[in-house]
Amino acid sequence: VLGAGFASGVLGYIAGKRRSKAAAQPVTVVTVPGGEAADLDENATDIRCAVANDVVVTDDVAIRELFGGASTGTSTLSIAHVNVKRAWHEEWQQPEFDEWTCVLKGVVRIERARGASLNVRAGEAVFLPRGELVRWVFPDPSNLQEYVAICGPAFSPDNCGRGVEPAEAELPKYE
């Protein structure tokens, strides 16, 4: 739906520049928890293996981090696969990272304190700049949401900005 070009562009943007071929970096392969090890050639010495980390599992949501502080020790960016389990909403937050979100299934409503709110549907993507005061809403229990979130720098509990409440005048009108 969104293709490799989208992911390549996002990662290139986050890195700020492409690395030259002279700066050899190991390839990192991330596998699923409890799954088989990566299928590598026997002489592979330039490949690092890591295991994805289930960072949140509640009645509301399951979040599996593929790249980031909890899974690979990466602080530059994080990539997480999110599965919503029921209709609910997160608390307001004002992250200290840029976020690119690709919705794979369902409709994710993003309420903004300082601008129009929006619905992002399956097959669509959204960019939220750092400092944007938002609340994620998952409104449809009949079509539960699934999405991939890419954050730069990497998401962490310390930089997600939870607990920041908008002024009453900034709340979406229906509230």
Side-chain angles (χ1 to χ4, degrees), residues 61-162:
V61 66
I63 302 174
R64 175 170 286 168
E65 184 184 83
L66 302 164
F67 286 90
S71 57
T72 60
T74 307
S75 62
T76 307
L77 69 92
S78 59
I79 301 174
H81 183 209
V82 181
N83 281 289
V84 175
K85 298 179 180 181
R86 65 181 181 160
W88 69 291
H89 63 79
E90 291 191 23
E91 63 185 297
W92 286 94
Q93 53 195 287
Q94 192 169 27
E96 298 171 19
F97 48 77
D98 291 328
E99 182 168 352
W100 293 261
T101 298
C102 307
V103 177
L104 305 174
K105 184 179 171 197
V107 177
V108 176
R109 179 155 183 82
I110 300 173
E111 295 179 342
R112 299 170 60 220
R114 299 180 190 104
S117 297
L118 62 143
N119 293 326
V120 186
R121 301 177 190 292
E124 298 177 343
V126 63
F127 168 72
L128 298 170
R130 67 188 75 207
E132 181 82 17
L133 183 54
V134 297
R135 179 167 69 177
W136 294 73
V137 179
F138 310 104
D140 188 355
S142 67
N143 189 14
L144 294 175
Q145 299 76 13
E146 179 181 359
Y147 61 94
V148 174
I150 303 169
C151 303
F155 174 95
S156 79
D158 294 334
N159 72 359
C160 67
R162 287 206 171 96

Side-chain angles (χ1 to χ4, degrees), residues 42-55:
E42 357 177 309
N43 60 349
T45 59
D46 59 345
I47 299 174
R48 176 178 171 242
C49 293
V51 177
N53 193 343
D54 292 329
V55 292

